[in-house]
Each structure stands twice: as C-alpha cells, then as structure tokens.
Amino acid sequence: MIVIFLGPPGAGKGTQAKHIVERYGIPQLSTGDMLRAAVKAETAIGLKAKAVMDAGNLVSDEIVAAIVEERIEAEDCAEGFLLDGFPRTVRQAEMLGGILAKKGREIDVVIELQVDEGALIERLRTRIEETKARGETPRADDNEETFAKRLGVYRDETAPLIPFYADQGKLRSIDGMAPVKTVSSEIEAILDPISTTK
C-alpha cells in the first residue's frame, strides 16, 4: 500500500502518520530523514547530497528522487510505505510516478488534510502560549512569520498536486480541522479496504 500525505504545515500530518505506521505496519518516509540516513550511510547519492548541503545549497529534485528510489528498495518497503514531504511539486510527482512505474508499482491513494489557514495560525499562537506557560522556549520555527512563509510555499508549490492527483482519481480529501480521532477514523475508512486487497 503506497500512500501520500498532503496538507499545509500544522495540518496534523505527523500525528496521523504515526497512527498509519502503527495500524498498517508500513514505514513513514520523510524526505529529511531519508536525506540524513543516506548521508550517514555514505551511499553514493548520500555523498552527493552531503556535498550540495555542505556548500549551503538546496538538494536538487534529481538527488531527492534518487534517495527516495534507493530507500523504497529496502526490505521494510516491500509491503508499502507512507510518503511525507515528497513529492513537494508536480515535477517531483512526475519523477515519483516514473520511479514506481519502473518497479511495477503505483500510488494507491493520496490523502489531503484540508484545513483553514486562519485556524492554523490560531493553533500556532495557542501552542506558543502553552509552551511559554510551561516555562519553555518555543521552537525557533514556531513563529507567525516563518509559518506564514511555509504556508505560502505550500500554496505555490505543493497545492498544485491536489488537482494533479485528483485528475488521476487518486485523491481523497478529509477535514483536517476535525478532532484527531475523527480524522484517524476517516483515514482508516479509506485505507482499510486498500490494505485488505494488497
């Protein structure tokens, strides 16, 4: 079962990803984790990525796609996997489609968590206040300016994936503003039938 998660920052993808991993026993593949693992393992593509990052540059789509391709050949991905943070753009989605086609595999479903951006900013403010109330320092990226930038990037680069996958009949949208358990139940209603046919 191959699943892709879409949704802006703060939509609750991390929480739901954990639930999917536990319930279906498939690994969650996050771009950041895969990059770090490839660099640490000093694979050919990992060394390439390290050189780019050490120079202070962004890793190219080609390198990210190669790291994803390498990772999904691992044994723990044989039964499927959940992609989080990749693809980020339509170009990356096309590259992923090519990688999977070569392996005779395809994406089963793309789950989009729909959220209200205004409500997300309110959530962020609450989180910052609660962190401060505990006497802790909020995370460096937990500020409205950074968050607004990340939302802008999502809208410009990643949101076009919604019609891209809808046209392929792969997209399922869920109300990400619903309580966590409700969202989890809706995800199960989508994934349970797929997992039983695999």
Side-chain angles (χ1 to χ4, degrees):
M1 181 165 69
I2 300 174
V3 184
I4 291 177
F5 243 170
L6 290 178
K13 296 191 297 296
T15 304
Q16 296 302 335
K18 280 194 196 85
H19 175 69
I20 290 172
V21 168
E22 283 164 19
R23 184 174 173 89
Y24 302 100
I26 58 172
Q28 174 190 3
L29 308 185
S30 119
T31 318
D33 291 347
M34 285 187 282
L35 267 172
R36 282 186 288 275
V39 168
K40 194 176 170 193
E42 296 187 341
T43 63
I45 198 71
L47 292 171
K48 216 179 210 180
K50 185 178 187 303
V52 173
M53 292 190 291
D54 287 350
N57 297 318
L58 282 175
V59 180
S60 70
D61 284 350
E62 283 71 21
I63 290 177
V64 175
I67 283 172
V68 170
E69 182 163 12
E70 192 172 72
R71 176 67 184 89
I72 64 177
E73 280 166 1
E75 212 173 296
D76 65 340
C77 292
E79 298 299 313
F81 46 87
L82 167 68
L83 279 168
D84 177 16
F86 182 87
R88 280 188 193 279
T89 62
V90 169
R91 180 166 185 259
Q92 287 184 355
E94 289 167 346
M95 291 168 104
L96 174 65
I99 290 167
L100 292 173
K102 268 194 301 191
K103 299 175 192 307
R105 301 177 85 176
E106 63 171 327
I107 294 154
D108 288 291
V109 69
V110 178
I111 296 175
E112 179 210 2
L113 295 181
Q114 292 180 327
V115 287
D116 174 88
E117 288 188 9
L120 284 183
I121 289 170
E122 276 308 313
R123 261 189 205 173
L124 173 71
R125 286 181 186 142
T126 306
R127 193 165 69 223
I128 292 169
E129 279 163 24
E130 285 171 354
T131 307
K132 286 179 178 168
R134 289 195 302 270
E136 297 166 13
T137 309
R139 280 177 17 189
D141 60 350
D142 257 3
N143 66 69
E144 283 187 46
E145 194 183 335
T146 307
F147 189 70
K149 267 190 198 145
R150 287 169 65 206
L151 274 179
V153 169
Y154 176 79
R155 263 196 312 267
D156 296 344
E157 295 183 7
T158 309
L161 289 173
I162 295 166
F164 177 82
Y165 283 121
D167 288 347
Q168 296 177 24
K170 304 271 188 202
L171 187 78
R172 300 287 177 276
S173 299
I174 289 176
D175 177 11
M177 302 308 292
V180 173
K181 282 191 171 161
T182 307
V183 176
S184 298
S185 298
E186 290 196 24
I187 289 173
E188 287 168 19
I190 292 168
L191 297 185
D192 282 359
I194 298 170
S195 70
T196 54
T197 58
K198 289 284 162 187

PDB file of all heavy atoms in Angstrom, residues 40-52:
ATOM      1  N   LYS A  40      24.491   9.731   6.227  1.00  0.00           N
ATOM      2  CA  LYS A  40      25.160   8.973   7.300  1.00  0.00           C
ATOM      3  C   LYS A  40      25.712   7.647   6.774  1.00  0.00           C
ATOM      4  O   LYS A  40      26.809   7.221   7.130  1.00  0.00           O
ATOM      5  CB  LYS A  40      24.152   8.716   8.422  1.00  0.00           C
ATOM      6  CG  LYS A  40      24.791   8.257   9.718  1.00  0.00           C
ATOM      7  CD  LYS A  40      23.763   8.118  10.818  1.00  0.00           C
ATOM      8  CE  LYS A  40      24.367   7.433  12.016  1.00  0.00           C
ATOM      9  NZ  LYS A  40      23.340   7.006  12.978  1.00  0.00           N
ATOM     10  N   ALA A  41      24.930   6.981   5.890  1.00  0.00           N
ATOM     11  CA  ALA A  41      25.358   5.684   5.354  1.00  0.00           C
ATOM     12  C   ALA A  41      26.447   5.839   4.288  1.00  0.00           C
ATOM     13  O   ALA A  41      27.029   4.860   3.842  1.00  0.00           O
ATOM     14  CB  ALA A  41      24.150   4.957   4.765  1.00  0.00           C
ATOM     15  N   GLU A  42      26.678   7.097   3.890  1.00  0.00           N
ATOM     16  CA  GLU A  42      27.697   7.411   2.870  1.00  0.00           C
ATOM     17  C   GLU A  42      27.471   6.641   1.575  1.00  0.00           C
ATOM     18  O   GLU A  42      28.412   6.161   0.944  1.00  0.00           O
ATOM     19  CB  GLU A  42      29.119   7.195   3.409  1.00  0.00           C
ATOM     20  CG  GLU A  42      29.444   8.135   4.565  1.00  0.00           C
ATOM     21  CD  GLU A  42      30.900   8.055   5.011  1.00  0.00           C
ATOM     22  OE1 GLU A  42      31.577   7.051   4.707  1.00  0.00           O
ATOM     23  OE2 GLU A  42      31.361   9.005   5.667  1.00  0.00           O
ATOM     24  N   THR A  43      26.188   6.525   1.185  1.00  0.00           N
ATOM     25  CA  THR A  43      25.903   5.906  -0.115  1.00  0.00           C
ATOM     26  C   THR A  43      26.359   6.912  -1.177  1.00  0.00           C
ATOM     27  O   THR A  43      26.577   8.089  -0.869  1.00  0.00           O
ATOM     28  CB  THR A  43      24.391   5.642  -0.287  1.00  0.00           C
ATOM     29  OG1 THR A  43      23.707   6.907  -0.273  1.00  0.00           O
ATOM     30  CG2 THR A  43      23.826   4.762   0.805  1.00  0.00           C
ATOM     31  N   ALA A  44      26.480   6.447  -2.409  1.00  0.00           N
ATOM     32  CA  ALA A  44      26.951   7.340  -3.484  1.00  0.00           C
ATOM     33  C   ALA A  44      26.072   8.583  -3.571  1.00  0.00           C
ATOM     34  O   ALA A  44      26.564   9.712  -3.642  1.00  0.00           O
ATOM     35  CB  ALA A  44      26.948   6.587  -4.811  1.00  0.00           C
ATOM     36  N   ILE A  45      24.751   8.375  -3.511  1.00  0.00           N
ATOM     37  CA  ILE A  45      23.836   9.516  -3.623  1.00  0.00           C
ATOM     38  C   ILE A  45      23.870  10.356  -2.338  1.00  0.00           C
ATOM     39  O   ILE A  45      23.719  11.571  -2.367  1.00  0.00           O
ATOM     40  CB  ILE A  45      22.400   9.053  -4.005  1.00  0.00           C
ATOM     41  CG1 ILE A  45      21.576  10.225  -4.538  1.00  0.00           C
ATOM     42  CG2 ILE A  45      21.688   8.362  -2.882  1.00  0.00           C
ATOM     43  CD1 ILE A  45      22.001  10.712  -5.892  1.00  0.00           C
ATOM     44  N   GLY A  46      24.098   9.684  -1.190  1.00  0.00           N
ATOM     45  CA  GLY A  46      24.210  10.404   0.086  1.00  0.00           C
ATOM     46  C   GLY A  46      25.398  11.343   0.091  1.00  0.00           C
ATOM     47  O   GLY A  46      25.321  12.485   0.576  1.00  0.00           O
ATOM     48  N   LEU A  47      26.525  10.887  -0.458  1.00  0.00           N
ATOM     49  CA  LEU A  47      27.730  11.724  -0.522  1.00  0.00           C
ATOM     50  C   LEU A  47      27.506  12.917  -1.451  1.00  0.00           C
ATOM     51  O   LEU A  47      27.971  14.029  -1.190  1.00  0.00           O
ATOM     52  CB  LEU A  47      28.937  10.900  -0.998  1.00  0.00           C
ATOM     53  CG  LEU A  47      29.413   9.826  -0.008  1.00  0.00           C
ATOM     54  CD1 LEU A  47      30.451   8.912  -0.641  1.00  0.00           C
ATOM     55  CD2 LEU A  47      29.984  10.468   1.262  1.00  0.00           C
ATOM     56  N   LYS A  48      26.772  12.672  -2.528  1.00  0.00           N
ATOM     57  CA  LYS A  48      26.439  13.745  -3.471  1.00  0.00           C
ATOM     58  C   LYS A  48      25.596  14.819  -2.756  1.00  0.00           C
ATOM     59  O   LYS A  48      25.832  16.015  -2.875  1.00  0.00           O
ATOM     60  CB  LYS A  48      25.627  13.145  -4.627  1.00  0.00           C
ATOM     61  CG  LYS A  48      25.919  13.754  -5.981  1.00  0.00           C
ATOM     62  CD  LYS A  48      25.056  13.040  -7.022  1.00  0.00           C
ATOM     63  CE  LYS A  48      25.728  13.011  -8.370  1.00  0.00           C
ATOM     64  NZ  LYS A  48      24.909  12.327  -9.370  1.00  0.00           N
ATOM     65  N   ALA A  49      24.583  14.330  -2.006  1.00  0.00           N
ATOM     66  CA  ALA A  49      23.699  15.238  -1.264  1.00  0.00           C
ATOM     67  C   ALA A  49      24.484  16.026  -0.224  1.00  0.00           C
ATOM     68  O   ALA A  49      24.280  17.232  -0.044  1.00  0.00           O
ATOM     69  CB  ALA A  49      22.585  14.442  -0.588  1.00  0.00           C
ATOM     70  N   LYS A  50      25.415  15.349   0.456  1.00  0.00           N
ATOM     71  CA  LYS A  50      26.219  15.998   1.507  1.00  0.00           C
ATOM     72  C   LYS A  50      27.037  17.144   0.918  1.00  0.00           C
ATOM     73  O   LYS A  50      27.109  18.234   1.492  1.00  0.00           O
ATOM     74  CB  LYS A  50      27.145  14.969   2.169  1.00  0.00           C
ATOM     75  CG  LYS A  50      27.933  15.530   3.352  1.00  0.00           C
ATOM     76  CD  LYS A  50      28.802  14.446   3.983  1.00  0.00           C
ATOM     77  CE  LYS A  50      29.466  14.915   5.265  1.00  0.00           C
ATOM     78  NZ  LYS A  50      30.300  16.108   5.111  1.00  0.00           N
ATOM     79  N   ALA A  51      27.635  16.903  -0.248  1.00  0.00           N
ATOM     80  CA  ALA A  51      28.450  17.942  -0.889  1.00  0.00           C
ATOM     81  C   ALA A  51      27.604  19.174  -1.199  1.00  0.00           C
ATOM     82  O   ALA A  51      28.032  20.317  -0.979  1.00  0.00           O
ATOM     83  CB  ALA A  51      29.075  17.390  -2.171  1.00  0.00           C
ATOM     84  N   VAL A  52      26.373  18.950  -1.667  1.00  0.00           N
ATOM     85  CA  VAL A  52      25.470  20.062  -2.004  1.00  0.00           C
ATOM     86  C   VAL A  52      25.078  20.823  -0.734  1.00  0.00           C
ATOM     87  O   VAL A  52      25.125  22.056  -0.684  1.00  0.00           O
ATOM     88  CB  VAL A  52      24.196  19.528  -2.727  1.00  0.00           C
ATOM     89  CG1 VAL A  52      23.182  20.637  -2.929  1.00  0.00           C
ATOM     90  CG2 VAL A  52      24.568  18.904  -4.066  1.00  0.00           C
TER      91      VAL A  52
END
